[in-house]
Amino acid sequence: MCGIVGYIGKDNAKDIIIDGLKKLEYRGYDSAGIAIVRDGKLEIKKHVGGIANLENLIGDDPMTSHIGIGHTRWATHGAPSDLNAHPHGSQDGKIAIIHNGIIENYHELKEELIREHNIKFKSETDSEVIAQLIGVIYQEKKDLLESVFAAVDRMRGAYAIVAIAEDEPDKIVAVRKDAPLIVGLGKGSNFVASDIPALLKYVKEIYLIENNETVLLTSEKVTIFDENREEINREVFHVTWDADAAEKEGYEHFMLKEIYEQPKGLSETLNRRLDENGKINLEGITLTKAEIEKFSKIYIVACGTAYHAGLVGKYIIEKLVRVPVEVDVASEFRYRDPLVDENTLFIAISQSGETLDTLAALREAKSKGARVLSVVNVVGSSVARESDDVFYTWAGPEIAVASTKAYTTQLMCMYMLALYMGLEKGTIDRDYYDQFIRDLQKMPEKLEEFLKKASQIEDEAKQLYNREQVFFIGRGLDSAVSYEGSLKLKEISYINSFAIAAGELKHGTIALMEPGTLVIALACQDFLYEKMVSNIQEIKARGAYVMAIAKDGNESIAKHSDKMIYIPECRDEITPLISVVPLQLFAYYVAKERGCNIDKPKNLAKSVTVE
Ligand code: M6R
């Protein structure tokens, strides 16, 4: 996920592009760059870090030009660096492109460009392949539009690409396939961008570009071509939102937007590593069968929400790989002289990859000889760089402090790792594996369906938002999810919430149950369902008010509960992918009713880089 902006017109392109990129930093912020044509020469300036770093690099240079393209990056292929930043240029310096998405066949195109055209690549990105390919074609065709058409015919993947050419400084060409692209219509100026917020200050009239369409922009005219390269007409879309609403794509808060992005995050995280036979492809991870068999112990270490993903990871890895797994919070692990040796696999989980406690625990484990694998969302982050292997989540940038889509994509990685290791080690057979993968593949759609019930959860939140304390209970995997539900509620609504394994209640905590005490009870594990019903009866007998979460079809629990939320039927092991979502939504709507600052809760930061 990256942000892209292009401009052609009577004003200075650089100022408009930098301004637009700042509005898109929520799409990615690990490096940024700009390309213009000044006095007949194509110039590219780019820098690792946010837009501020790019502005420092540009300094007082006005970069006077009426045409330009700019990019803010969220790394996928290649760590954040000056060289991997966009725009990318062709070898002869005549073409510059920016790209959002993935070129699936970049490897074969790259080999061909090296072999047949002696291209020397400067970056590790798939995107540079686009610049070089267009550059080679352009040498023959001498026409940017025709060259982009020809290049796109060779590419597979998902992309929004914007290209300019030194020898045609009067045009921009953009193309879209499965990545957002819009065109802004000005007077004597036209714009292209990945998202509306980049352009709102300048235009309110937009063309929404569809898949497989190509756009040719001059300062006076915008022409759209369909997949057969025929010119087509497009209705103008009049934007009525303000800039803030547009960044959130119409959602009131980033947290809600990110909750709704979970089906996409799950599907990306799963499908990017599945081959056509349903086999998990751990490209970039060098764990061999012999190494997997050698591990006598696995540690999963993380903080906060990522730690809660680790609790699910322990359950599933122990079940499928039959090796003991210990889960620890990073700030504890590093100070307790843990039993780590060269037969230990250490798994660090971190959305940001910059959490100091997690990083320090990782270093501690590494120094004792452990093999370090991390599950990270931010490409090229410190945790990723210091690990032997990285399993990236494909959540995209998470802006809200309360983690939602990072958690569910971390869970997906846990399932995939467990399945991969289990199959390699022979602790699960191919039939079990195939069925599990098929079940995982159904989850994005099931979650999409479940999200349609959000209004029911909003109604419950409106009635329950003023409770002073809330308990979350569950057994097995439901207990792991309870911890995450409780954290979500306390961090954004400031309600004192507490999670406990349901079977443990009677050993002390049940003393706190009084008439009206709100208990959120997860009963999504079929094999523990009857036990959960008994635990609910115990607290109902003390007057608790119970909101239960169960799978569709398990209706008998309704008799013992005050409120019910049903999640779609799915195998027990993967219910956390959905059962956490009503808890996220409940926390969100309760915090909203209480008037809290949802995306930036008090006392918290998105990335905790202190001890
Ligand atoms: O970036 P990380 O995943 O390493 O962050 C760890 C925790 O700080 C984080 O999960 C925190 O608990 C969440 N913001 C809670 O929603």
Side-chain angles (χ1 to χ4, degrees):
M1 196 165 147
C2 306
I4 59 186
V5 189
Y7 171 80
I8 185 161
K10 47 190 183 330
D11 296 317
N12 195 28
K14 186 258 292 182
D15 303 325
I16 291 166
I17 287 167
I18 295 286
D19 187 62
L21 290 180
K22 283 182 182 163
K23 303 283 182 329
L24 293 182
E25 254 186 322
Y26 68 92
R27 293 190 62 91
Y29 39 73
D30 61 46
S31 54
I34 181 169
I36 56 159
V37 182
R38 172 159 54 179
D39 302 330
K41 288 301 293 172
L42 185 66
E43 289 178 33
I44 298 178
K45 293 199 183 197
K46 50 190 190 172
H47 206 289
V48 70
I51 316 294
N53 288 16
L54 176 64
E55 283 184 295
N56 283 342
L57 176 75
I58 295 170
D60 295 335
D61 182 354
M63 292 189 83
T64 310
S65 173
H66 68 282
I67 182 170
I69 55 177
H71 188 270
T72 174
R73 181 170 185 244
W74 177 255
T76 55
H77 286 71
S81 69
D82 291 353
L83 285 177
N84 289 337
H86 296 218
H88 290 285
S90 57
Q91 189 152 289
D92 60 6
K94 297 275 186 195
I95 302 290
I97 66 101
I98 48 178
H99 166 223
N100 172 26
I102 291 274
I103 304 301
E104 283 163 9
N105 60 335
Y106 84 98
H107 193 66
E108 69 192 60
L109 291 172
K110 188 170 180 175
E111 302 270 284
E112 181 188 313
L113 287 161
I114 294 170
R115 199 176 53 243
E116 293 178 17
H117 301 277
N118 199 22
I119 299 291
K120 303 212 170 9
F121 280 82
K122 291 184 183 153
S123 76
E124 304 155 294
T125 63
D126 54 336
S127 310
E128 189 185 351
V129 167
I130 306 168
Q132 301 293 10
L133 184 60
I134 298 176
V136 164
I137 298 171
Y138 191 83
Q139 284 173 1
E140 198 185 301
K141 294 198 182 278
K142 310 267 185 252
D143 181 286
L144 184 61
L145 180 65
E146 290 302 322
S147 303
V148 170
F149 280 153
V152 163
D153 287 342
R154 302 284 324 275
M155 293 183 313
R156 285 199 314 272
Y159 45 79
I161 299 164
V162 184
I164 56 173
E166 181 175 277
D167 296 339
E168 294 176 84
D170 55 348
K171 58 177 77 153
I172 293 179
V173 176
V175 53
R176 174 201 159 132
K177 180 169 179 281
D178 294 326
L181 189 72
I182 55 148
V183 166
L185 306 168
K187 293 204 170 38
S189 302
N190 286 307
F191 307 71
V192 60
S194 45
D195 283 273
I196 291 173
L199 308 185
L200 268 184
K201 189 167 150 192
Y202 306 98
V203 285
K204 296 278 186 216
E205 305 214 313
I206 300 281
Y207 283 151
L208 301 170
I209 305 305
E210 304 288 349
N211 269 343
N212 300 311
E213 290 178 353
T214 306
V215 196
L216 173 65
L217 296 97
T218 66
S219 52
E220 296 299 333
K221 192 170 175 210
V222 173
T223 317
I224 306 178
F225 301 90
D226 68 9
E227 59 191 324
N228 303 316
R229 277 76 208 251
E230 307 282 347
E231 269 189 56
I232 47 171
N233 292 322
R234 175 68 26 91
E235 235 176 87
V236 174
F237 175 72
H238 297 271
V239 184
T240 49
W241 323 323
D242 63 17
D244 187 51
E247 263 182 40
K248 296 177 190 129
E249 290 171 11
Y251 291 99
E252 201 173 340
H253 297 95
F254 278 112
M255 183 181 175
L256 192 62
K257 172 174 176 273
E258 287 160 7
I259 289 173
Y260 276 84
E261 282 172 348
Q262 292 180 106
K264 179 156 177 273
L266 288 181
S267 138
E268 296 262 317
T269 304
L270 178 65
N271 292 322
R272 281 180 190 270
R273 285 200 183 268
L274 273 192
D275 69 17
E276 55 283 2
N277 303 315
K279 192 91 205 299
I280 295 167
N281 165 10
L282 285 192
E283 192 195 329
I285 297 181
T286 55
L287 273 186
T288 62
K289 180 172 161 47
E291 283 166 333
I292 292 169
E293 280 165 353
K294 191 187 81 170
F295 295 134
S296 57
K297 179 173 199 176
I298 297 179
Y299 277 105
I300 304 180
V301 177
C303 305
T305 290
Y307 166 76
H308 297 151
L311 295 176
V312 174
K314 168 186 166 71
Y315 184 98
I316 203 71
I317 293 173
E318 285 188 341
K319 179 165 180 163
L320 271 53
V321 192
R322 309 308 297 159
V323 59
V325 181
E326 222 180 286
V327 196
D328 210 345
V329 287
S331 52
E332 288 298 313
F333 176 87
R334 55 186 294 211
Y335 293 115
R336 70 176 171 89
D337 196 11
L339 298 171
V340 174
D341 59 22
E342 50 294 339
N343 295 327
T344 305
L345 173 64
F346 177 95
I347 302 178
I349 308 180
S350 176
Q351 186 283 129
S352 62
E354 300 297 345
T355 303
L356 188 71
D357 287 326
T358 308
L359 198 55
L362 179 160
R363 289 175 182 152
E364 169 79 11
K366 218 172 168 182
S367 73
K368 292 186 161 173
R371 173 67 176 258
V372 174
L373 183 150
S374 59
V375 173
V376 175
N377 195 35
V378 179
V379 176
S381 55
S382 304
V383 169
R385 284 202 310 273
E386 295 194 27
S387 300
D388 298 313
D389 299 295
V390 189
F391 197 130
Y392 284 112
T393 50
W394 283 87
E398 195 179 59
I399 307 294
V401 166
S403 190
T404 52
K405 60 178 182 170
Y407 174 77
T408 41
T409 54
Q410 285 160 356
L411 295 187
M412 185 58 95
C413 292
M414 291 291 110
Y415 292 121
M416 293 173 79
L417 267 178
L419 284 164
Y420 183 88
M421 292 198 286
L423 194 62
E424 286 290 296
K425 199 174 164 188
T427 41
I428 54 172
D429 65 24
R430 186 69 206 226
D431 286 348
Y432 178 90
Y433 170 99
D434 286 340
Q435 187 53 51
F436 207 119
I437 292 282
R438 281 196 291 275
D439 291 343
L440 284 175
Q441 283 173 315
K442 290 180 198 147
M443 292 311 266
E445 207 182 314
K446 289 189 178 189
L447 184 48
E448 197 89 60
E449 212 32 53
F450 177 74
L451 282 165
K452 294 183 183 151
K453 288 190 183 172
S455 61
Q456 185 207 337
I457 297 160
E458 184 175 7
D459 291 344
E460 309 301 359
K462 280 186 174 148
Q463 290 171 37
L464 300 169
Y465 74 94
N466 55 3
R467 301 299 168 112
E468 276 172 17
Q469 60 176 0
V470 179
F471 291 85
F472 289 79
I473 62 169
R475 302 180 77 112
L477 282 171
D478 286 340
S479 143
V481 176
S482 301
Y483 287 106
E484 176 55 11
S486 171
L487 177 64
K488 278 302 79 92
L489 186 68
K490 76 175 76 145
E491 72 177 321
I492 60 168
S493 75
Y494 319 136
I495 292 178
N496 182 14
S497 71
F498 186 82
I500 183 165
E504 183 66 8
L505 267 172
K506 57 187 174 294
H507 298 289
T509 307
I510 202 164
L512 295 173
M513 293 297 142
E514 283 177 3
T517 305
L518 176 57
V519 179
I520 299 185
L522 285 98
C524 305
Q525 305 295 297
D526 287 341
F527 81 110
L528 292 167
Y529 179 73
E530 296 302 334
K531 302 264 173 236
M532 254 326 274
V533 173
S534 306
N535 292 138
I536 290 173
Q537 283 172 305
E538 283 157 22
I539 52 173
K540 277 303 293 171
R542 273 89 187 167
Y545 181 98
V546 174
M547 180 161 88
I549 298 173
K551 287 186 201 166
D552 277 337
N554 279 347
E555 267 106 34
S556 60
I557 198 170
K559 288 202 292 285
H560 310 287
S561 308
D562 300 279
K563 294 278 178 194
M564 282 305 308
I565 294 172
Y566 291 105
I567 62 164
E569 162 59 30
C570 53
R571 71 188 299 145
D572 276 4
E573 295 90 332
I574 59 180
T575 51
L577 291 169
I578 291 198
S579 61
V580 73
V581 179
L583 308 186
Q584 296 168 342
L585 286 167
F586 184 72
Y588 172 81
Y589 286 118
V590 165
K592 192 175 154 196
E593 283 304 311
R594 292 166 73 95
C596 301
N597 186 351
I598 294 182
D599 283 338
K600 290 190 178 145
K602 68 179 182 197
N603 306 338
L604 295 176
K606 184 65 187 160
S607 180
V608 186
T609 52
V610 291
E611 236 194 297

